[in-house]
């Protein structure tokens, strides 16, 4: 698969499920902006059938190389990011995984039960990153139970393998060329910003500033009926050059830590 194929398939399913992302994207293009994607992110479990080394495969085959590693102790996650060498305009890829053994036996058993429902050959499919919900119709009881320990686990249980978010590169925008202007633009349209740790994550000195809207709530069919829960979100990032004039391409763990909370359950 080429990078274009991967990203257009992911974008199609992401915007279909999260119409607000498409609405925001169009609000930029209608202003004459050309929107580039800074990065996408994936979530997975550290089970060897689907861990980072599995999810990264199609990206490595499409020319990506690993560029950074991250640890999120409180959320019990590790992550890696990937870039296409010599192609700074290509979106970066961020893949995180939940460290299952750091959670209760109850959570581990619930997850194992679902992972084991599917034959392991299924996880070897090259199309795994497009599979979405792989474990059948979820149970709302299980979703709630997982949320008590990890919002991330609960999200992954329901949504499976798909882009968790796309990210508008503010560097590519001409009019809305600061993160403050972008945030105001979003609020003017009635979107709820993730304000965990402040609306803007990171500082100019750290060379990366990010913000995000809270994930859109969508109706999901559970075994117990239809419930509205957060799906995916849209992120906005601006990168600054370092002392040598090179645009920073990494991620800031303490900012990403708060961005993860964009899919936390919330009351409207
Ligand atoms: Ni992100």
């Amino acid at each position: 698969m080429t990078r274009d194929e991967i990203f257009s398939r992911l974008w199609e399913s992401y915007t279909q499920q999260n119409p607000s992302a498409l609405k925001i994207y169009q609000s930029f293009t209608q202003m004459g902006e050309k929107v580039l994607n800074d990065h996408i992110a994936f979530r997975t479990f550290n089970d060897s059938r689907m861990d980072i080394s599995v999810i990264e495969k199609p990206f490595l085959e499409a020319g990506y190389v690993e560029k950074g590693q991250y640890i999120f102790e409180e959320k019990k996650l590790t992550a890696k990011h990937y870039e296409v060498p010599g192609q700074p305009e290509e979106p970066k890829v961020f893949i995180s995984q939940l460290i299952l053994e750091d959670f209760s036996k109850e959570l581990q058993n619930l997850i194992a039960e679902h992972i084991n429902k599917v034959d392991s050959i299924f996880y070897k499919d090259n199309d795994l990153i497009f599979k979405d919900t792989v474990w059948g119709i979820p149970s709302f009881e299980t979703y709630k139970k997982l949320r008590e320990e990890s919002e991330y686990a609960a999200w992954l249980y329901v949504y499976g393998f798909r882009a968790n978010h796309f990210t508008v590169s503010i560097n590519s925008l001409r009019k809305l060329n600061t993160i403050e202007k972008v945030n105001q633009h979003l609020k003017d349209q009635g979107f709820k910003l993730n304000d965990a740790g402040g609306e803007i994550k990171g500082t100019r000195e750290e060379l990366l500033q990010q913000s995000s809207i809270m994930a859109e709530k969508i109706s999901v069919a559970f075994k117990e009926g239809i419930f509205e829960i957060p799906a995916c979100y849209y992120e906005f990032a601006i990168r600054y050059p370092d002392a040598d004039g090179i645009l920073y391409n990494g991620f800031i763990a303490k900012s990403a830590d708060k961005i993860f909370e964009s899919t936390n359950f919330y009351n409207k």
Side-chain angles (χ1 to χ4, degrees), residues 39 41 165 167 210 233 235 251 259:
H39 67 271
H165 62 273
T167 311
Q210 293 159 276
Y233 61 94
E235 188 181 315
F251 291 85
I259 293 271

Side-chain angles (χ1 to χ4, degrees), residues 28-42:
F28 289 125
T29 56
Q30 277 156 13
M31 291 173 76
E33 299 282 19
K34 183 176 169 230
V35 181
L36 293 184
N37 180 22
D38 181 87
H39 67 271
I40 58 162
F42 272 88

Side-chain angles (χ1 to χ4, degrees), residues 106 110-111 113-114 117 133-148 153-159 220-227 229:
E106 192 189 11
L110 278 175
I111 298 299
E113 196 183 295
H114 290 283
K117 267 188 196 168
T133 325
V134 288
W135 301 300
I137 297 174
S139 140
F140 195 64
E141 272 313 304
T142 303
Y143 172 75
K144 280 197 295 188
K145 214 171 272 169
L146 292 174
R147 267 189 53 215
E148 286 169 18
W155 185 93
L156 188 52
Y157 163 66
V158 172
Y159 296 112
V220 174
F222 287 92
K223 280 185 188 132
E224 299 89 337
I226 309 264
F227 293 90
I229 64 163

Side-chain angles (χ1 to χ4, degrees), residues 198-242:
E199 285 179 357
I200 299 175
K201 280 82 173 156
T203 62
R204 210 174 247 273
E205 292 66 39
E206 288 170 312
L207 309 179
L208 170 64
Q209 290 183 300
Q210 293 159 276
S211 66
S212 60
I213 55 165
M214 288 304 285
E216 177 164 7
K217 276 195 167 182
I218 63 165
S219 296
V220 174
F222 287 92
K223 280 185 188 132
E224 299 89 337
I226 309 264
F227 293 90
E228 277 209 339
I229 64 163
C232 297
Y233 61 94
Y234 213 178
E235 188 181 315
F236 310 88
I238 184 161
R239 297 178 179 276
Y240 299 97
D242 63 17

